[in-house]
Amino acid sequence: MKDSEIETKYNHKDLPKVENILTYSFGCLMKILAIVYFGVGAVFLAIFVFPFIHLFASRKKQDFGVTARAYVSHTFRVFLDGLNLTHTSIRRVDDAEAYRKIHSKIIIANHPSLLDFVYIMSLVPNSTCIVRGSLTKTPLAGVIKQAYITNTTEFDDVLVECKKLTDQGCNVIIFPEGTRTPRHGQNNYKKGAARIALYCGCDVQPIFIGGSDKYGLGKHDPLWSYNHVEPYLYDFKLLPVISVDEFKDMSAPMAAKHLTEKMEQVIRGAGEEYTKNCTGRTLNNF
């Protein structure tokens, strides 16, 4: 992406001025400490916790992935409870129990911030996520390699792995945009999520992520940055399931095309409706 395009899509000059410099600085500091804590926690999980899970799972003849994902989901909830306690990030969910009942679905969502997959993983325990392959070169590498799927894996191998997981009742989280949602304009939806859903024969569960502006957690945002006027609010909306049976009589390319268009229509529509119903709040571009 050219510098001029980045400047246009991720420009934040339209944000309101900081109302309270002390509150803003505290938010920036808490966000940075949370990022550090998250990275250290990931290293701790990979080195000290996962080996015990491997041992426990083998003795109990249980699947390592199921146990590891459940543990990671729990640690994510604890992590997010800490953010809520410090009033750094607040979650609002329409029906938390409904998320725990999701099984064998391809979960899709818009992607306004770094915390999106952390929140969804905390809400839907038995889930994995297709993540950026570059994360394997960060402190998260140990956890990523053992519990998640990277987008640098051969796509045919991704299909097989997703099929195996969904057959076991696991959910696969995918952000169809492939990257975080820009502040201005839109990203095109990629067909990967649709192709995976069709291959696995799994219905698609869309989730819309609303709330306050996520400045500081978006793409190309400065490290020392935070929402100018309020804490991060994450407002989750569980949308109607999209059945893949609707596309079963189409050729594979056409089915993927139309399913992708349907996913984009549902998520964008939810964003437009959410924006209409929210007044007096600075929102991300959905």
Side-chain angles (χ1 to χ4, degrees):
M1 186 181 293
K2 297 179 180 179
D3 290 344
S4 58
E5 187 176 355
I6 292 174
E7 176 63 23
T8 300
K9 295 182 74 173
Y10 298 95
N11 190 297
H12 57 269
K13 293 179 181 178
D14 57 335
L15 290 175
K17 293 182 179 180
V18 175
E19 291 186 351
N20 186 314
I21 189 63
L22 292 178
T23 302
Y24 176 77
S25 298
F26 176 78
C28 292
L29 179 61
M30 289 297 101
K31 185 200 78 172
I32 293 171
L33 290 176
I35 292 172
V36 173
Y37 178 79
F38 191 88
V40 172
V43 173
F44 181 84
L45 280 177
I47 296 176
F48 297 106
V49 177
F50 277 10
F52 283 100
I53 294 178
H54 271 292
L55 182 62
F56 174 82
S58 62
R59 285 186 175 181
K60 297 289 185 179
K61 295 183 179 180
Q62 296 177 351
D63 184 85
F64 164 76
V66 174
T67 307
R69 287 189 292 271
Y71 190 86
V72 169
S73 178
H74 172 73
T75 59
F76 281 178
R77 286 195 295 274
V78 172
F79 171 75
L80 294 170
D81 284 345
L83 296 185
N84 183 70
L85 188 65
T86 59
H87 213 58
T88 304
S89 180
I90 302 166
R91 186 192 78 178
R92 190 162 62 193
V93 181
D94 42 8
D95 182 2
E97 183 61 28
Y99 289 82
R100 290 191 284 271
K101 293 179 179 178
I102 299 173
H103 298 289
S104 298
K105 297 288 192 299
I106 303 301
I107 298 174
I108 64 164
N110 54 314
H111 193 14
S113 80
L114 282 171
L115 284 178
D116 302 332
F117 97 96
V118 179
Y119 269 110
I120 296 176
M121 287 283 295
S122 73
L123 288 166
V124 190
N126 191 19
S127 298
T128 188
C129 186
I130 297 181
V131 299
R132 286 187 294 111
S134 59
L135 290 175
T136 58
K137 299 178 182 179
T138 70
L140 305 178
V143 173
I144 295 295
K145 291 178 180 179
Q146 297 183 70
Y148 302 102
I149 303 169
T150 63
N151 61 7
T152 52
T153 305
E154 288 291 333
F155 192 71
D156 287 345
D157 294 334
V158 171
L159 291 174
V160 172
E161 181 65 16
C162 289
K163 173 67 173 170
K164 182 181 76 173
L165 290 169
T166 53
D167 284 349
Q168 296 171 352
C170 181
N171 305 288
V172 180
I173 303 167
I174 306 172
F175 298 105
E177 292 174 83
T179 187
R180 273 167 282 170
T181 306
R183 183 168 298 282
H184 304 284
Q186 298 177 340
N187 292 321
N188 294 324
Y189 273 42
K190 302 181 185 299
K191 296 178 183 176
R195 291 177 62 190
I196 291 170
L198 293 164
Y199 180 87
C200 297
C202 291
D203 292 339
V204 177
Q205 175 60 72
I207 296 175
F208 174 71
I209 305 173
S212 62
D213 190 275
K214 307 301 189 298
Y215 178 58
L217 296 175
K219 196 167 185 178
H220 301 296
D221 290 345
L223 180 61
W224 186 265
S225 58
Y226 188 71
N227 186 301
H228 282 190
V229 296
E230 61 187 328
Y232 295 127
L233 169 65
Y234 283 80
D235 197 356
F236 289 86
K237 301 293 181 184
L238 204 58
L239 304 175
V241 170
I242 302 172
S243 173
V244 295
D245 288 345
E246 180 182 343
F247 310 93
K248 64 181 181 181
D249 295 330
M250 300 179 184
S251 65
M254 288 301 294
K257 177 178 182 295
H258 286 291
L259 179 53
T260 301
E261 290 173 350
K262 179 71 173 181
M263 294 190 297
E264 184 169 3
Q265 176 189 349
V266 169
I267 296 290
R268 301 268 195 235
E272 291 170 3
E273 184 66 24
Y274 186 85
T275 302
K276 288 179 184 177
N277 294 332
C278 291
T279 57
R281 179 180 295 279
T282 305
L283 301 172
N284 274 109
N285 170 44
F286 301 118

